[in-house]
Amino acid sequence: MTAAREQELAAGLGRVRARIAEACSSAGRAPDEVTLVVVTKFFPASDVRLLRSLGVSDVGENRHQEAEAKAAEVDDASLRWHFIGNLQSNKAADVARYAHAVHSVDRAKLLRGLSRGSEARVEQAGAQPLEVLVQVDLDPEPQAGRGGVRPEGLMELADRVADTEHLSFRGLMAVAPLGEEPAAAFERLAALRADLLAQHPSADRLSAGMSGDLEEAVAIGATHVRVGSAILGGRPSIP
Ligand SMILES: *Cc1c(COP(=O)(O)O)cnc(C)c1O
């Protein structure tokens, strides 16, 4: 069982790493400019362990309860957990206790909890402050989006994050909207990022690209791609 699953994961990782390398080469970028975050949501902690043994250092999860349980079960200090999902403000402090980075900050209401959780972790575990990315909604239709602050609210939220104690503001995250070419949406993302960098030069991370569109994201400068199904296989559909 485990040996077969390990082979499956190794093959998926090999294919995705090759795609990243090819996309970097087409874009004239070095492959080490792009971090692969393997999205393990819906898959068991045993898969996370296998991925770790295959050289994966960054994993992504989108639901707090599942992420918290898995991080406790795997308990490998060399793994970095990236929280990439919708976050409730009453859970924000808890997420900061195990997550290395939160990619999905979309409103100022989350900042108090994240700051408190990060402060506790820094004091107790000597960890680095929590890294925060602001998620921006690229959907042309307001309200239709898959989460994120609308572009017109981005700068204000970015300033708030940068001013919050115990948090390290590192950049932007986005998901390509349904029903549009990812490349077109990512062009808008690249423009927003350029504006942001003028104000916040150290917020230079860009989390964009998934199984279906990582090439388009690498082409416009993504530094983190979040890839699940192309490595782990199909997920059961969300009830
Ligand atoms: C699930 C998820 C991913 C990974 O999607 P795949 O298409 O399986 O690669 C990436 N980003 C976010 C925010 C997700 O929720």
Side-chain angles (χ1 to χ4, degrees), residues 86-146:
N86 248 315
L87 186 53
Q88 291 174 291
S89 49
N90 63 347
K91 296 286 162 27
D94 294 339
V95 168
R97 289 183 218 278
Y98 59 83
H100 168 85
V102 175
H103 293 217
S104 43
V105 170
D106 60 358
R107 58 200 191 281
K109 218 183 153 196
L110 298 170
L111 298 178
R112 247 166 66 105
L114 290 173
S115 173
R116 199 153 38 82
S118 176
E119 180 183 20
R121 189 182 62 170
V122 169
E123 281 174 2
Q124 285 157 26
Q128 294 298 306
L130 181 70
E131 298 189 352
V132 168
L133 308 188
V134 169
Q135 182 178 357
V136 60
D137 181 9
L138 297 178
D139 208 295
E141 302 284 327
Q143 258 109 66
R146 303 171 77 179

Side-chain angles (χ1 to χ4, degrees), residues 21-35:
E22 176 69 32
C24 284
S25 149
S26 300
R29 303 179 62 195
D32 65 3
E33 288 177 39
V34 178
T35 300

Side-chain angles (χ1 to χ4, degrees), residues 220-237:
I220 58 96
T223 62
H224 289 65
V225 294
R226 309 175 310 271
V227 180
S229 50
I231 295 169
L232 290 123
R235 291 180 290 273
S237 56

Side-chain angles (χ1 to χ4, degrees), residues 162-228:
D163 286 344
T164 303
E165 270 191 313
H166 312 298
L167 298 182
S168 170
F169 178 39
R170 294 309 315 266
L172 293 183
M173 184 271 245
V175 177
L178 300 169
E180 185 187 16
E181 286 296 326
F186 288 154
E187 285 299 331
R188 296 197 295 281
L189 179 61
L192 290 167
R193 182 199 196 195
D195 290 347
L196 179 80
L197 281 173
Q199 304 290 325
H200 298 279
S202 60
D204 57 356
R205 302 223 173 132
L206 184 60
S207 169
M210 317 190 344
S211 291
D213 55 19
L214 72 87
E215 285 83 0
E216 288 87 344
V218 169
I220 58 96
T223 62
H224 289 65
V225 294
R226 309 175 310 271
V227 180

